[in-house]
């Protein structure tokens, strides 16, 4: 039976995990992810799932146990945040390069130091080259929906890559929202029975070696294969989204365009801040200002062409980054750099500026987002870009 | 470019799908010293067979009969453990000269 529940983001994902009923979950607690696996462990204890829940001594071990279980042929999940993700670093690459379809929730939290438990995107952005598919969620509903879709994306034979799904720490992870759950049966039949695409370690009739030495003679070829998996992912993500829409009525794409079609200026921003920005867009639209929003959902693989096409008609664009790529051009944020590269290749010659915001959980309020739109209109009037990178909400 | 199969034709993820395939990896090319046995002194105790890390001691009818030089990597363990010291580690260059 379908249910509408009041759930925070972490509980919503825990319910998605319960309905998927994975074979193995290995996890280590870390704020603000903890309540996801804590809630899920209650489902395990109450016999609602048949999952083997492995408690480990660190995130490095959590991901290592996930890799072992996935190589053995299990459907595997985990969740982490911040330093936990950083501690998985080495093994994140191994999960991706062994082509194991592990699904992970990363509840976005700043990386230390100074130590901080609140939201920004530096954890995920740091892991953006690890070979994982990365999907950002605006709210609890999206996180629930994305997590279920992630199983199908990861396990698709043309992809076979691990997927991380993100939502914002505390803002989404701990705020209660209305969440529509599919029925357990619907989720079960959507994800289907897991049939590993490759031979697995427990299949004694088809012996296989995972993780052999791979030197200059074959390593390069295996990396080339990984590119192919990533290249197929975009189409698979859209295919899975279409099927999910038929089931749930909720539409997902590579990104969400909000009042963008006839907009003159727009903001590109990930996750919960996109929700706040929608309210600002509505307010400014009511005043007759042609403003829009583009909220990327899929960050890896980055939908460069589609995004450049969607932005092409605009006269000025502001990207808002909740992390810094230290030492990159102008010390800008990673999202900005991706949007610029997309524009360089696929066209669009409007000015694009970057706003670093919300680091370490610093609040971002509608008035600040409004000020970004004001800046964009000023660029239109004067034809001048004063600053490429602005720190929104930092004390001078 | 090194010889080998292209990326489209190898299993993904670095998986090796056949069992027992390590025999295909010819480690003999690593060898700088070749074990040479004085068969007269050999008492066929098979210590070398037990200790050889590359299973490169050839045995027939419980007798030591020689070395698998495609896989022997010249570590010298056999020479070390041989109780009659009948194995001599000989520089590969000496065999190059023979050719
Ligand atoms: S250890 Fe020496 S004596 Fe014993 S079998 Fe080997 S070569 Fe012969
Ligand atoms: S030299 Fe080493 S590898 Fe070669 S036969 Fe002796 S023990 Fe085996």
């Amino acid at each position: 039976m379908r249910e509408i529940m009041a759930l925070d983001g972490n509980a919503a994902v825990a319910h998605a995990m319960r309905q998927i009923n994975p074979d193995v979950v290995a996890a280590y607690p870390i704020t603000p992810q903890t309540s996801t696996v804590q809630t899920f462990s209650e489902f395990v204890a109450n016999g609602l799932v048949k999952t083997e829940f492995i408690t480990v001594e660190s995130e490095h071990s959590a991901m290592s146990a996930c890799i072992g279980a996935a190589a053995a042929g299990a459907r595997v999940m985990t969740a982490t945040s911040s330093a936990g993700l950083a501690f998985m670093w080495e093994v994140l690459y191994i999960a991706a390069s062994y082509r194991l379809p592990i699904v992970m929730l990363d509840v976005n939290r700043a990386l230390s130091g100074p130590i901080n438990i609140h939201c920004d995107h530096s954890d995920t952005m740091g892991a953006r080259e690890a070979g994982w598919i990365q999907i950002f969620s605006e709210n609890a509903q999206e996180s629930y929906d994305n997590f279920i879709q992630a199983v199908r994306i990861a396990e698709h034979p043309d992809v076979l890559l691990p997927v991380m799904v993100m939502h914002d720490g505390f803002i989404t992870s701990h705020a209660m929202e209305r969440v529509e759950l599919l029925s357990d049966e619907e989720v079960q039949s959507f994800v289907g029975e897991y049939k590993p695409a490759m031979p697995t370690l427990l299949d004694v009739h088809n012996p296989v070696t995972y993780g052999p030495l791979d030197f200059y003679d074959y390593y390069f070829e295996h990396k080339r294969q990984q590119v192919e998996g990533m290249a197929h992912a975009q189409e698979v993500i859209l295919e899975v989204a279409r099927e999910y829409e038929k089931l749930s009525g909720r539409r997902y794409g590579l990104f969400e365009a909000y009042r963008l079609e006839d907009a003159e200026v727009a903001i590109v921003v990930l996750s919960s801040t996109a929700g706040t920005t929608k309210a600002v867009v509505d307010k400014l639209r009511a005043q007759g200002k042609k403003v829009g929003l583009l909220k990327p959902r899929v960050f890896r693989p980055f939908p460069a062409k589609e995004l450049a096409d969607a932005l092409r008609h605009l006269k000025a664009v502001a990207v808002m980054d909740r992390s810094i790529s230290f030492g990159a051009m102008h010390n800008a944020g990673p999202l900005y750099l991706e949007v610029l590269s997309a524009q360089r290749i696929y066209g669009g010659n409007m000015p694009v500026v970057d706003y670093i915001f919300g680091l370490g959980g610093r609040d971002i309020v509608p008035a600040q987002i409004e000020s970004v739109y004001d800046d964009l209109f000023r660029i239109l009037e004067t034809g001048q870009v004063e600053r490429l990178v602005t720190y929104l909400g930092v004390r001078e | 470019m090194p010889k080998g199969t292209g990326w489209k034709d190898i299993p993904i993820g670095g998986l090796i799908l056949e069992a027992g395939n390590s025999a295909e990896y010819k480690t003999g090319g690593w060898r700088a010293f070749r074990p040479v046995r004085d068969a007269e002194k050999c008492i066929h105790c098979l210590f070398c067979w037990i200790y050889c890390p590359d299973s490169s001691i050839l045995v027939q009818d419980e007798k030591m009969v020689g070395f698998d030089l495609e896989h022997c990597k010249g570590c010298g363990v056999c020479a070390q453990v041989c109780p009659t010291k009948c194995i001599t580690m000989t520089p590969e260059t000496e065999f190059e000269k023979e050719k």
Side-chain angles (χ1 to χ4, degrees):
Chain A
M1 194 185 68
R2 290 192 183 193
E3 269 183 286
I4 296 173
M5 294 177 81
L7 296 172
D8 63 31
N10 285 355
V13 172
H15 276 281
M17 289 167 84
R18 174 183 60 74
Q19 295 181 307
I20 294 162
N21 197 355
D23 300 310
V24 172
V25 169
Y28 189 79
I30 183 166
T31 302
Q33 169 281 121
T34 305
S35 64
T36 315
V37 290
Q38 184 187 324
T39 306
F40 183 73
S41 69
E42 285 171 22
F43 297 148
V44 176
N46 293 337
L48 298 179
V49 288
K50 59 169 177 49
T51 307
E52 179 81 29
F53 189 88
I54 310 176
T55 51
V56 285
E57 75 281 15
S58 75
E59 286 83 0
H60 189 283
S61 307
M63 186 48 66
S64 298
C66 286
I67 289 167
R75 180 177 268 159
V76 181
M77 307 187 153
T78 186
T80 194
S81 281
S82 180
L85 185 67
F87 196 17
M88 284 181 185
W89 220 255
E90 173 191 3
V91 267
L92 285 180
Y93 282 79
I94 295 184
S97 61
Y98 290 6
R99 312 298 296 274
L100 299 171
I102 298 164
V103 175
M104 170 162 70
L105 173 71
D106 178 40
V107 180
N108 283 126
R109 161 184 156 184
L111 283 170
S112 298
I115 193 163
N116 182 299
I117 58 167
H118 290 281
C119 177
D120 71 34
H121 296 163
S122 50
D123 51 358
T124 300
M125 288 305 176
R128 68 192 187 274
E129 323 289 28
W132 285 59
I133 290 167
Q134 296 184 318
I135 301 178
F136 284 87
S137 323
E138 180 185 322
N139 50 40
Q141 182 72 60
E142 286 194 9
S143 206
Y144 169 85
D145 292 338
N146 283 335
F147 205 80
I148 293 168
Q149 291 175 69
V151 175
R152 289 279 304 277
I153 297 163
E155 292 172 5
H156 194 287
D158 293 343
V159 178
L160 293 175
L161 287 171
V163 178
M164 60 176 94
V165 172
M166 275 65 68
H167 60 227
D168 280 347
F170 291 109
I171 301 160
T172 304
S173 69
H174 285 65
M176 197 78 88
E177 293 177 45
R178 175 190 188 279
V179 180
E180 291 183 27
L181 301 189
L182 298 168
S183 73
D184 295 357
E185 297 73 31
E186 283 172 320
V187 174
Q188 276 292 307
S189 81
F190 184 80
V191 297
E193 192 194 331
Y194 179 45
K195 293 193 194 74
M198 300 300 291
T200 57
L201 292 174
L202 291 185
D203 179 359
V204 291
H205 301 294
N206 296 293
V208 61
T209 304
Y210 274 78
L213 273 183
D214 196 21
F215 284 159
Y216 36 73
D217 46 359
Y218 277 103
Y219 181 89
F220 202 169
E221 279 70 27
H222 290 125
K223 292 295 134 183
R224 178 64 187 82
Q225 291 176 331
Q226 255 178 271
V227 172
E228 203 66 5
M230 201 48 104
H232 288 139
Q234 180 166 315
E235 189 43 48
V236 169
I237 289 167
L238 289 172
E239 193 182 299
V240 170
R242 281 191 290 271
E243 206 181 309
Y244 193 78
E245 185 187 354
K246 265 186 224 143
L247 173 68
S248 68
R250 292 185 289 275
R251 169 175 296 206
Y252 289 92
L254 302 168
F255 48 78
E256 181 189 352
Y258 186 75
R259 306 189 81 164
L260 191 65
E261 240 170 56
D262 64 336
E264 284 181 334
V265 300
I267 286 176
V268 178
V269 68
L270 294 162
S271 298
S272 68
T273 312
T276 317
T277 305
K278 285 174 187 170
V280 175
V281 167
D282 290 345
K283 180 184 165 194
L284 297 181
R285 283 278 180 171
Q287 298 167 10
K289 293 180 181 157
K290 291 191 162 180
V291 296
L293 160 74
L294 188 148
K295 177 190 75 182
R297 170 182 178 238
V298 180
F299 186 76
R300 285 286 180 268
F302 192 76
K305 180 178 186 307
E306 294 74 8
L307 197 134
D309 287 347
L311 296 177
R312 197 186 313 280
H313 65 285
L314 295 161
K315 293 179 182 153
V317 171
V319 176
M320 292 177 62
D321 267 294
R322 205 162 193 159
S323 65
I324 294 174
S325 184
F326 290 103
M329 184 179 69
H330 290 270
N331 292 295
L335 184 56
Y336 177 67
L337 298 169
E338 292 283 349
V339 171
L340 280 193
S341 333
Q343 201 188 18
R344 173 72 180 78
I345 301 299
Y346 295 106
N349 49 15
M350 81 297 284
V352 183
V353 289
D354 194 20
Y355 288 79
I356 306 288
F357 77 99
L359 300 189
R362 175 70 49 92
D363 269 343
I364 175 84
V365 298
Q368 290 169 313
I369 295 169
E370 220 175 305
S371 81
V372 173
Y373 283 117
D374 288 344
D375 289 353
L376 290 175
F377 282 117
R378 199 167 316 118
I379 290 173
L380 286 197
E381 276 162 36
T382 62
Q384 300 286 318
V385 174
E386 277 171 42
R387 282 179 312 277
L388 282 178
V389 178
T390 302
Y391 300 94
L392 194 63
V394 79
R395 288 185 298 275
E396 291 297 337
Chain B
M1 207 187 309
K3 285 199 201 99
T5 315
W7 65 267
K8 291 176 191 151
D9 300 316
I10 53 173
I12 61 165
L15 301 192
I16 298 176
L17 303 180
E18 312 91 47
N21 55 77
S22 58
E24 286 170 32
Y25 195 11
K26 306 281 192 277
T27 46
W30 303 4
R31 193 174 54 243
F33 292 90
R34 182 184 296 197
V36 177
R37 181 184 60 135
D38 179 350
E40 306 262 296
K41 284 204 234 159
C42 175
I43 56 171
H44 303 287
C45 65
L46 302 188
F47 271 32
C48 53
W49 177 79
I50 291 168
Y51 279 95
C52 173
D54 286 296
S55 309
S56 293
I57 304 295
L58 303 175
V59 174
Q60 263 168 25
D61 303 327
E62 299 179 14
K63 301 254 189 266
M64 195 302 190
V65 295
F67 303 93
D68 167 6
L69 291 177
E70 285 197 327
H71 294 99
C72 162
K73 63 182 188 297
C75 65
V77 168
C78 51
Q80 191 70 32
V81 300
C82 174
T84 67
K85 298 293 163 213
C86 72
I87 297 174
T88 315
M89 298 307 292
T90 315
E92 278 294 325
T93 46
E94 307 218 344
F95 303 97
E96 294 279 318
K97 272 182 245 157
E98 272 173 25
K99 277 184 201 165

